[in-house]
mmCIF file of all heavy atoms in Angstrom:
data_model
loop_
_atom_site.group_PDB
_atom_site.id
_atom_site.type_symbol
_atom_site.label_atom_id
_atom_site.label_comp_id
_atom_site.label_asym_id
_atom_site.label_seq_id
_atom_site.Cartn_x
_atom_site.Cartn_y
_atom_site.Cartn_z
ATOM 1 N N GLN A 1 -3.432 159.291 36.901
ATOM 2 C CA GLN A 1 -4.436 160.344 36.791
ATOM 3 C C GLN A 1 -5.171 160.578 38.100
ATOM 4 O O GLN A 1 -5.507 161.716 38.442
ATOM 5 C CB GLN A 1 -5.430 159.996 35.682
ATOM 6 C CG GLN A 1 -4.856 160.121 34.276
ATOM 7 C CD GLN A 1 -5.794 159.556 33.222
ATOM 8 O OE1 GLN A 1 -6.687 158.748 33.522
ATOM 9 N NE2 GLN A 1 -5.601 159.960 31.969
ATOM 10 N N VAL A 2 -5.450 159.496 38.848
ATOM 11 C CA VAL A 2 -6.215 159.646 40.095
ATOM 12 C C VAL A 2 -5.312 159.859 41.301
ATOM 13 O O VAL A 2 -5.794 160.020 42.415
ATOM 14 C CB VAL A 2 -7.119 158.415 40.338
ATOM 15 C CG1 VAL A 2 -8.100 158.237 39.209
ATOM 16 C CG2 VAL A 2 -6.287 157.140 40.532
ATOM 17 N N SER A 3 -3.965 159.847 41.069
ATOM 18 C CA SER A 3 -3.009 159.999 42.171
ATOM 19 C C SER A 3 -3.353 159.011 43.289
ATOM 20 O O SER A 3 -3.642 159.380 44.427
ATOM 21 C CB SER A 3 -3.032 161.428 42.712
ATOM 22 O OG SER A 3 -2.043 161.607 43.696
ATOM 23 N N PHE A 4 -3.336 157.731 42.930
ATOM 24 C CA PHE A 4 -3.839 156.681 43.814
ATOM 25 C C PHE A 4 -3.139 156.707 45.170
ATOM 26 O O PHE A 4 -3.781 156.651 46.213
ATOM 27 C CB PHE A 4 -3.649 155.316 43.152
ATOM 28 C CG PHE A 4 -4.373 154.200 43.846
ATOM 29 C CD1 PHE A 4 -5.634 153.801 43.434
ATOM 30 C CD2 PHE A 4 -3.806 153.546 44.938
ATOM 31 C CE1 PHE A 4 -6.317 152.784 44.083
ATOM 32 C CE2 PHE A 4 -4.474 152.529 45.596
ATOM 33 C CZ PHE A 4 -5.732 152.148 45.161
ATOM 34 N N ARG A 5 -1.820 156.791 45.164
ATOM 35 C CA ARG A 5 -1.089 156.763 46.427
ATOM 36 C C ARG A 5 -1.451 157.962 47.292
ATOM 37 O O ARG A 5 -1.686 157.846 48.492
ATOM 38 C CB ARG A 5 0.412 156.724 46.140
ATOM 39 C CG ARG A 5 1.287 156.366 47.335
ATOM 40 C CD ARG A 5 1.689 157.560 48.156
ATOM 41 N NE ARG A 5 2.199 158.632 47.334
ATOM 42 C CZ ARG A 5 2.283 159.883 47.742
ATOM 43 N NH1 ARG A 5 1.844 160.234 48.937
ATOM 44 N NH2 ARG A 5 2.761 160.828 46.948
ATOM 45 N N GLY A 6 -1.536 159.151 46.677
ATOM 46 C CA GLY A 6 -1.869 160.335 47.446
ATOM 47 C C GLY A 6 -3.286 160.309 47.982
ATOM 48 O O GLY A 6 -3.557 160.785 49.081
ATOM 49 N N ARG A 7 -4.219 159.731 47.204
ATOM 50 C CA ARG A 7 -5.615 159.716 47.620
ATOM 51 C C ARG A 7 -5.883 158.671 48.688
ATOM 52 O O ARG A 7 -6.607 158.926 49.658
ATOM 53 C CB ARG A 7 -6.519 159.458 46.411
ATOM 54 C CG ARG A 7 -8.001 159.410 46.757
ATOM 55 C CD ARG A 7 -8.875 159.034 45.576
ATOM 56 N NE ARG A 7 -8.841 160.033 44.505
ATOM 57 C CZ ARG A 7 -9.610 159.971 43.427
ATOM 58 N NH1 ARG A 7 -10.474 158.959 43.286
ATOM 59 N NH2 ARG A 7 -9.526 160.901 42.493
ATOM 60 N N TYR A 8 -5.313 157.466 48.518
ATOM 61 C CA TYR A 8 -5.681 156.356 49.404
ATOM 62 C C TYR A 8 -4.575 155.952 50.389
ATOM 63 O O TYR A 8 -4.834 155.155 51.288
ATOM 64 C CB TYR A 8 -6.074 155.129 48.571
ATOM 65 C CG TYR A 8 -7.236 155.390 47.644
ATOM 66 C CD1 TYR A 8 -7.040 155.512 46.271
ATOM 67 C CD2 TYR A 8 -8.528 155.540 48.131
ATOM 68 C CE1 TYR A 8 -8.097 155.761 45.407
ATOM 69 C CE2 TYR A 8 -9.589 155.792 47.286
ATOM 70 C CZ TYR A 8 -9.371 155.906 45.925
ATOM 71 O OH TYR A 8 -10.421 156.164 45.079
ATOM 72 N N GLY A 9 -3.361 156.450 50.196
ATOM 73 C CA GLY A 9 -2.296 156.090 51.121
ATOM 74 C C GLY A 9 -1.778 154.682 50.936
ATOM 75 O O GLY A 9 -1.277 154.069 51.885
ATOM 76 N N GLY A 10 -1.885 154.139 49.735
ATOM 77 C CA GLY A 10 -1.358 152.818 49.421
ATOM 78 C C GLY A 10 -0.748 152.839 48.028
ATOM 79 O O GLY A 10 -1.278 153.489 47.122
ATOM 80 N N ALA A 11 0.370 152.156 47.845
ATOM 81 C CA ALA A 11 1.055 152.149 46.552
ATOM 82 C C ALA A 11 0.740 150.861 45.801
ATOM 83 O O ALA A 11 0.912 149.761 46.345
ATOM 84 C CB ALA A 11 2.561 152.270 46.749
ATOM 85 N N VAL A 12 0.264 150.979 44.562
ATOM 86 C CA VAL A 12 -0.032 149.806 43.738
ATOM 87 C C VAL A 12 1.279 149.242 43.203
ATOM 88 O O VAL A 12 2.037 149.931 42.513
ATOM 89 C CB VAL A 12 -0.961 150.180 42.561
ATOM 90 C CG1 VAL A 12 -1.238 148.950 41.706
ATOM 91 C CG2 VAL A 12 -2.260 150.769 43.077
ATOM 92 N N ILE A 13 1.553 147.978 43.505
ATOM 93 C CA ILE A 13 2.791 147.358 43.027
ATOM 94 C C ILE A 13 2.528 146.257 41.996
ATOM 95 O O ILE A 13 3.450 145.832 41.306
ATOM 96 C CB ILE A 13 3.615 146.775 44.193
ATOM 97 C CG1 ILE A 13 2.809 145.694 44.937
ATOM 98 C CG2 ILE A 13 4.044 147.868 45.153
ATOM 99 C CD1 ILE A 13 3.626 144.948 45.965
ATOM 100 N N ALA A 14 1.283 145.802 41.880
ATOM 101 C CA ALA A 14 0.967 144.757 40.904
ATOM 102 C C ALA A 14 -0.509 144.826 40.564
ATOM 103 O O ALA A 14 -1.321 145.357 41.334
ATOM 104 C CB ALA A 14 1.323 143.364 41.451
ATOM 105 N N LEU A 15 -0.854 144.279 39.393
ATOM 106 C CA LEU A 15 -2.228 144.349 38.903
ATOM 107 C C LEU A 15 -2.591 143.035 38.224
ATOM 108 O O LEU A 15 -1.776 142.464 37.503
ATOM 109 C CB LEU A 15 -2.376 145.516 37.925
ATOM 110 C CG LEU A 15 -3.782 145.896 37.437
ATOM 111 C CD1 LEU A 15 -3.829 147.385 37.111
ATOM 112 C CD2 LEU A 15 -4.187 145.116 36.189
ATOM 113 N N HIS A 16 -3.819 142.581 38.461
ATOM 114 C CA HIS A 16 -4.339 141.378 37.796
ATOM 115 C C HIS A 16 -5.617 141.741 37.058
ATOM 116 O O HIS A 16 -6.471 142.454 37.576
ATOM 117 C CB HIS A 16 -4.659 140.280 38.818
ATOM 118 C CG HIS A 16 -5.571 139.209 38.279
ATOM 119 N ND1 HIS A 16 -5.122 138.164 37.529
ATOM 120 C CD2 HIS A 16 -6.917 139.048 38.375
ATOM 121 C CE1 HIS A 16 -6.151 137.400 37.177
ATOM 122 N NE2 HIS A 16 -7.246 137.922 37.681
ATOM 123 N N ARG A 17 -5.734 141.230 35.831
ATOM 124 C CA ARG A 17 -6.956 141.398 35.049
ATOM 125 C C ARG A 17 -7.358 140.030 34.515
ATOM 126 O O ARG A 17 -6.534 139.317 33.946
ATOM 127 C CB ARG A 17 -6.744 142.389 33.907
ATOM 128 C CG ARG A 17 -7.976 142.600 33.022
ATOM 129 C CD ARG A 17 -7.769 143.799 32.114
ATOM 130 N NE ARG A 17 -7.699 145.050 32.869
ATOM 131 C CZ ARG A 17 -7.210 146.188 32.391
ATOM 132 N NH1 ARG A 17 -6.736 146.234 31.156
ATOM 133 N NH2 ARG A 17 -7.194 147.273 33.146
ATOM 134 N N ALA A 18 -8.628 139.661 34.710
ATOM 135 C CA ALA A 18 -9.094 138.330 34.335
ATOM 136 C C ALA A 18 -8.836 138.057 32.866
ATOM 137 O O ALA A 18 -9.182 138.850 31.991
ATOM 138 C CB ALA A 18 -10.585 138.189 34.634
ATOM 139 N N SER A 19 -8.201 136.917 32.582
ATOM 140 C CA SER A 19 -7.985 136.406 31.223
ATOM 141 C C SER A 19 -7.159 137.351 30.353
ATOM 142 O O SER A 19 -7.231 137.291 29.132
ATOM 143 C CB SER A 19 -9.329 136.120 30.528
ATOM 144 O OG SER A 19 -10.122 135.257 31.298
ATOM 145 N N GLU A 20 -6.365 138.226 30.982
ATOM 146 C CA GLU A 20 -5.573 139.167 30.181
ATOM 147 C C GLU A 20 -4.298 139.518 30.931
ATOM 148 O O GLU A 20 -4.325 139.808 32.124
ATOM 149 C CB GLU A 20 -6.381 140.431 29.899
ATOM 150 C CG GLU A 20 -5.669 141.440 29.015
ATOM 151 C CD GLU A 20 -6.534 142.650 28.722
ATOM 152 O OE1 GLU A 20 -7.779 142.514 28.842
ATOM 153 O OE2 GLU A 20 -5.983 143.706 28.393
ATOM 154 N N ARG A 21 -3.178 139.475 30.237
ATOM 155 C CA ARG A 21 -1.918 139.868 30.836
ATOM 156 C C ARG A 21 -1.694 141.354 30.590
ATOM 157 O O ARG A 21 -1.930 141.863 29.508
ATOM 158 C CB ARG A 21 -0.763 139.055 30.243
ATOM 159 C CG ARG A 21 0.562 139.292 30.950
ATOM 160 C CD ARG A 21 1.599 138.294 30.490
ATOM 161 N NE ARG A 21 1.176 136.949 30.848
ATOM 162 C CZ ARG A 21 1.705 135.842 30.333
ATOM 163 N NH1 ARG A 21 2.651 135.917 29.422
ATOM 164 N NH2 ARG A 21 1.260 134.670 30.708
ATOM 165 N N ILE A 22 -1.217 142.037 31.623
ATOM 166 C CA ILE A 22 -1.041 143.484 31.554
ATOM 167 C C ILE A 22 0.354 143.818 31.059
ATOM 168 O O ILE A 22 1.357 143.339 31.602
ATOM 169 C CB ILE A 22 -1.272 144.125 32.942
ATOM 170 C CG1 ILE A 22 -2.674 143.777 33.455
ATOM 171 C CG2 ILE A 22 -1.075 145.624 32.870
ATOM 172 C CD1 ILE A 22 -3.785 144.277 32.581
ATOM 173 N N ASP A 23 0.429 144.633 30.001
ATOM 174 C CA ASP A 23 1.691 145.171 29.522
ATOM 175 C C ASP A 23 1.729 146.661 29.816
ATOM 176 O O ASP A 23 0.707 147.315 29.939
ATOM 177 C CB ASP A 23 1.837 144.936 28.014
ATOM 178 C CG ASP A 23 2.042 143.458 27.683
ATOM 179 O OD1 ASP A 23 2.806 142.804 28.413
ATOM 180 O OD2 ASP A 23 1.424 142.975 26.716
ATOM 181 N N GLY A 24 2.923 147.199 29.873
ATOM 182 C CA GLY A 24 3.060 148.631 30.124
ATOM 183 C C GLY A 24 3.189 148.942 31.596
ATOM 184 O O GLY A 24 2.966 148.099 32.467
ATOM 185 N N LYS A 25 3.574 150.173 31.884
ATOM 186 C CA LYS A 25 3.756 150.601 33.262
ATOM 187 C C LYS A 25 2.402 150.680 33.968
ATOM 188 O O LYS A 25 1.411 151.097 33.381
ATOM 189 C CB LYS A 25 4.457 151.966 33.294
ATOM 190 C CG LYS A 25 5.898 151.937 32.800
ATOM 191 C CD LYS A 25 6.518 153.321 32.907
ATOM 192 C CE LYS A 25 7.968 153.305 32.446
ATOM 193 N NZ LYS A 25 8.816 152.496 33.343
ATOM 194 N N LEU A 26 2.387 150.295 35.237
ATOM 195 C CA LEU A 26 1.123 150.249 35.968
ATOM 196 C C LEU A 26 0.438 151.609 35.996
ATOM 197 O O LEU A 26 -0.784 151.696 35.914
ATOM 198 C CB LEU A 26 1.370 149.760 37.404
ATOM 199 C CG LEU A 26 1.868 148.320 37.552
ATOM 200 C CD1 LEU A 26 2.051 147.988 39.022
ATOM 201 C CD2 LEU A 26 0.903 147.353 36.906
ATOM 202 N N GLY A 27 1.226 152.670 36.107
ATOM 203 C CA GLY A 27 0.642 153.999 36.204
ATOM 204 C C GLY A 27 -0.089 154.460 34.965
ATOM 205 O O GLY A 27 -0.876 155.408 35.019
ATOM 206 N N THR A 28 0.148 153.774 33.823
ATOM 207 C CA THR A 28 -0.478 154.191 32.562
ATOM 208 C C THR A 28 -1.608 153.273 32.120
ATOM 209 O O THR A 28 -2.212 153.496 31.069
ATOM 210 C CB THR A 28 0.585 154.244 31.446
ATOM 211 O OG1 THR A 28 1.113 152.914 31.232
ATOM 212 C CG2 THR A 28 1.719 155.181 31.818
ATOM 213 N N VAL A 29 -1.913 152.239 32.886
ATOM 214 C CA VAL A 29 -2.961 151.282 32.526
ATOM 215 C C VAL A 29 -4.319 151.816 32.957
ATOM 216 O O VAL A 29 -4.512 152.182 34.122
ATOM 217 C CB VAL A 29 -2.706 149.909 33.184
ATOM 218 C CG1 VAL A 29 -3.847 148.940 32.876
ATOM 219 C CG2 VAL A 29 -1.384 149.322 32.715
ATOM 220 N N GLU A 30 -5.284 151.884 32.029
ATOM 221 C CA GLU A 30 -6.631 152.301 32.384
ATOM 222 C C GLU A 30 -7.324 151.188 33.168
ATOM 223 O O GLU A 30 -7.356 150.042 32.733
ATOM 224 C CB GLU A 30 -7.447 152.629 31.124
ATOM 225 C CG GLU A 30 -7.107 153.973 30.508
ATOM 226 C CD GLU A 30 -8.160 154.428 29.514
ATOM 227 O OE1 GLU A 30 -9.179 153.718 29.351
ATOM 228 O OE2 GLU A 30 -7.963 155.488 28.901
#
């Protein structure tokens, strides 16, 4: 939604959330 790569010039390849494992595609995680 925020077009992260286009806005900041960096591509998100992984995500960490405290005490919670992330399921689903990174682009769809709030």
Side-chain angles (χ1 to χ4, degrees):
Q1 288 171 340
V2 300
S3 185
F4 192 95
R5 194 272 312 161
R7 179 185 295 186
Y8 301 107
V12 179
I13 60 172
L15 188 151
H16 162 82
R17 179 168 294 163
S19 305
E20 183 178 338
R21 187 170 297 164
I22 302 299
D23 290 318
K25 293 182 179 294
L26 295 180
T28 63
V29 177
E30 283 195 3

